[in-house]
């Protein structure tokens, strides 16, 4: 087991470069299964989740080669369309192989996926979309068996704009016969990046980034090289790190428009924010944040993946903030850990009422999931004395070289292994 030892009190200063997007890299890696040829994915972050997806691809028979931040995936010799329980339980995004395997081989078998325990994330929307395309589905003994003689284009309306379901349906429909229209589709930037990758391969997709996506089926796809977009959640986390420590940080390799909801709230809290073409500068020197009300919503609303970090920041605001979580019902697990550090938070249903305190104090805390872990790291940076954070494996799922990046900004953070 590994843990972080963090001594707080240092305002973060300097410049930090954002890595490639985890949530863009994962579906793009899965999409390589759509054809039997090598693809090169650039700016892929070195993360546990990316490693797990590569393990899934290799399990299926792909050849995966990593060089720096590039991953070459050759899916010429896929010998299996089944992903076992052990791999699926390591990461929920493993279910993204459903669409491409079904599209290419017309059959796939996976166990129900795992991942962070932050709330109910059922597979029903994924399966509803695949059924509409002509798949026959049987769920038995913890496995999902999907078979289709031939996929046919269809009109599909998602009950909620699920990111994973939108991606799986897009990938399955690429090789289907005819036209598929997805309505109430998720609008996240990572879906736009998946569309761009697939279109480079020869797919015909329009509308990603809006709530209606149209896919014209094609007969075959070509090898491509693609650079994934920067990770907007990592970028947002760095900005909050500067804000919570009273620092001044420039975040580079970022697409500012992907962070408009986060930037609006940071400005509302009183921070000075400057935006360039591919950078964001935040100055929090000599100030205490103002309280803010936040409600998580699907993109372009405020991202649920930034809610824990913003709650940590709100703990030090001069007043009371209300944070409402509408996406995942179990995404307040970090509250009990922030309370150990001196925060004043009361949870009432979907809302957390955060009364700002003048200071947080170091404490031993546990990261229960990826973003909760990020929130605890940020709180520890601002706290008096030292903190010990257990559950570092969760944090490693979504933040590349986190201790190196923050050490370079002046944080005192050390990783220790048993």
């Amino acid at each position: 087991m590994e843990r972080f030892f963090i001594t707080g009190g240092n305002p973060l200063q300097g410049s930090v470069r954002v890595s490639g997007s985890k949530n863009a890299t994962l579906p793009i890696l899965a999409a390589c299964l759509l054809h039997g040829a090598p693809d090169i994915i650039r700016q892929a972050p070195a993360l546990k989740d990316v490693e797990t997806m590569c393990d899934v691809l290799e399990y299926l028979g792909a050849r995966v080669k990593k060089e720096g931040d590039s991953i070459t995936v050759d899916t010429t010799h896929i010998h299996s369309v089944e992903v076992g329980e052990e791999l699926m339980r390591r990461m929920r995004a493993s279910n993204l192989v459903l669409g491409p395997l079904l599209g290419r081989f017309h059959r796939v078998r996976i166990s129900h996926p795992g991942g962070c325990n932050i709330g109910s994330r059922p597979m029903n929307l994924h399966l509803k979309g695949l059924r509409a395309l002509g798949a026959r589905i049987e769920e038995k003994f913890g496995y999902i068996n999907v078979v289709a003689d031939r996929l046919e284009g269809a009109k599909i309306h998602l009950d909620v704009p699920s990111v994973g379901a939108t991606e799986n349906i897009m990938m399955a429909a690429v090789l289907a016969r005819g036209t598929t229209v997805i309505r109430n589709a998720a609008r996240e930037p990572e879906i736009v990046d998946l569309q761009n990758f697939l279109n480079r391969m020869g797919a015909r997709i329009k509308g990603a980034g809006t709530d209606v996506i149209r896919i014209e089926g094609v007969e075959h796809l070509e090898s491509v090289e693609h650079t994934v977009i920067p990770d907007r959640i990592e970028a947002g986390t760095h900005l909050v790190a500067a804000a919570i420590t009273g620092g001044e940080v420039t975040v580079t390799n970022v697409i500012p428009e992907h962070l408009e909801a986060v930037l609006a709230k940071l400005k509302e809290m009183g921070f000075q924010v400057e935006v360039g073409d591919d950078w964001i500068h935040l100055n929090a020197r000599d100030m205490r944040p103002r309280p803010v009300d936040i409600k998580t919503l699907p993109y372009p609303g405020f991202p649920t993946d930034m809610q824990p970090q913003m709650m940590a920041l709100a703990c030090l605001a001069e007043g009371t903030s209300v944070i409402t979580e509408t996406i995942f019902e179990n995404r307040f697990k970090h509250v009990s850990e922030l309370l150990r550090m001196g925060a004043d938070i009361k949870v009432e249903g979907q809302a957390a009422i955060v009364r700002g305190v003048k200071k947080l104090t170091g404490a031993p805390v546990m990261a229960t999931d990826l973003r909760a872990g990020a929130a605890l790291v940020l709180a520890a940076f601002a706290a008096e004395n030292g903190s010990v954070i257990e559950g570092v494996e969760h944090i490693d799922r979504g933040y590349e070289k986190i201790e190196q990046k923050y050490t370079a900004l002046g944080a005192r953070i050390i990783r220790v292994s048993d």
Side-chain angles (χ1 to χ4, degrees):
M1 299 292 291
E2 294 183 324
R3 59 182 61 88
F4 284 144
F5 284 84
I6 297 175
T7 303
N10 279 8
L12 301 190
Q13 302 176 59
S15 176
V16 58
R17 179 180 172 84
V18 174
S19 300
S21 168
K22 172 179 83 82
N23 290 334
T25 301
L26 297 177
I28 286 171
L29 286 172
C32 295
L33 291 164
L34 280 164
H35 67 138
D39 297 305
I40 300 174
I41 314 304
R42 303 196 185 280
Q43 197 169 260
L47 300 171
K48 290 290 185 183
D49 277 8
V50 173
E51 182 180 321
T52 297
M53 182 60 82
C54 289
D55 289 344
V56 170
L57 296 175
E58 289 180 326
Y59 179 88
L60 296 170
R63 294 179 180 175
V64 179
K65 183 179 180 181
K66 302 173 187 175
E67 291 181 320
D69 68 353
S70 294
I71 301 176
T72 301
V73 181
D74 187 347
T75 57
T76 304
H77 302 293
I78 298 298
H79 56 66
S80 174
V81 293
E82 177 177 332
V83 182
E85 181 179 3
E86 190 276 328
L87 280 173
M88 291 299 296
R89 284 191 178 277
R90 281 165 53 186
M91 181 184 66
R92 180 172 179 80
S94 303
N95 66 17
L96 291 171
V97 302
L98 262 178
L101 285 176
L102 184 65
R104 179 177 169 189
F105 298 103
H106 306 297
R107 58 191 178 92
V108 55
R109 184 172 189 260
I110 66 170
S111 74
H112 279 277
C116 282
N117 184 22
I118 56 176
S120 176
R121 294 185 285 180
M123 291 290 296
N124 59 310
L125 293 180
H126 301 246
L127 304 183
K128 173 185 175 181
L130 298 180
R131 282 194 181 97
L133 295 173
R136 301 185 300 277
I137 299 170
E138 180 184 45
E139 298 183 68
K140 198 172 183 179
F141 305 124
Y143 275 79
I144 302 170
N145 298 281
V146 189
V147 179
D149 298 325
R150 176 72 193 254
L151 295 178
E152 301 282 350
K155 293 182 179 180
I156 300 166
H157 188 282
L158 296 178
D159 297 332
V160 296
S162 163
V163 174
T166 300
E167 292 168 340
N168 252 328
I169 296 166
M170 284 173 64
M171 290 186 283
V174 163
L175 295 174
R177 184 164 50 194
T179 302
T180 297
V181 179
I182 308 171
R183 298 190 181 276
N184 198 29
R187 300 167 59 185
E188 273 71 4
E190 295 79 14
I191 292 172
V192 178
D193 206 27
L194 176 62
Q195 172 184 272
N196 292 340
F197 175 72
L198 292 170
N199 283 346
R200 279 201 179 99
M201 296 171 81
R204 299 173 63 189
I205 308 173
K206 295 180 179 179
T210 75
D211 61 358
V212 180
I213 299 176
R214 181 180 296 270
I215 305 109
E216 303 283 348
V218 298
E219 291 294 328
H220 66 277
L221 300 168
E222 304 291 339
S223 296
V224 295
E225 296 185 17
H226 181 80
T227 300
V228 299
I229 58 174
D231 194 304
R232 61 193 171 99
I233 304 303
E234 183 195 339
T237 302
H238 296 330
L239 292 170
V240 175
I244 201 170
T245 62
E248 186 172 2
V249 170
T250 301
V251 180
T252 65
N253 189 40
V254 64
I255 301 175
E257 68 184 76
H258 293 172
L259 285 155
E260 286 181 352
V262 174
L263 296 180
K265 290 300 176 183
L266 289 170
K267 291 176 183 177
E268 191 177 331
M269 296 179 88
F271 298 109
Q272 298 177 31
V273 178
E274 295 180 62
V275 176
D277 291 339
D278 60 354
W279 56 267
I280 302 170
H281 180 83
L282 185 140
N283 185 354
R285 292 179 184 274
D286 303 319
M287 67 158 294
R288 186 177 175 190
R290 295 195 289 260
V292 69
D293 291 345
I294 292 172
K295 183 177 183 179
T296 63
L297 291 167
Y299 189 87
F302 193 92
T304 181
D305 279 356
M306 281 300 301
Q307 176 261 108
Q309 300 92 307
M310 289 295 284
M311 184 183 291
L313 178 58
C315 286
L316 293 173
E318 196 166 9
T320 300
S321 302
V322 178
I323 299 176
T324 305
E325 174 59 58
T326 72
I327 308 298
F328 294 124
E329 68 272 18
N330 290 340
R331 198 151 215 179
F332 284 150
K333 290 188 174 183
H334 47 285
V335 169
S336 60
E337 303 304 297
L338 289 172
L339 291 175
R340 291 168 62 88
M341 303 179 75
D344 184 353
I345 307 169
K346 183 179 180 181
V347 175
E348 294 183 356
Q350 289 182 301
I353 300 163
V354 185
R355 295 178 177 87
V357 297
K358 289 186 177 180
K359 63 180 180 180
L360 297 172
T361 55
V365 292
M366 171 64 73
T368 55
D369 61 73
L370 169 55
R371 306 306 175 184
L376 296 178
V377 168
L378 301 187
F381 287 159
E384 291 186 338
N385 304 318
S387 298
V388 180
I389 300 178
E390 307 278 358
V392 169
E393 67 276 6
H394 293 294
I395 301 169
D396 287 341
R397 289 185 49 236
Y399 293 93
E400 181 180 42
K401 300 178 180 177
I402 184 169
E403 65 267 40
Q404 291 96 318
K405 289 186 177 183
Y406 283 131
T407 296
L409 293 175
R412 290 173 287 183
I413 175 172
I414 300 172
R415 181 189 296 257
V416 176
S417 302
D418 286 342

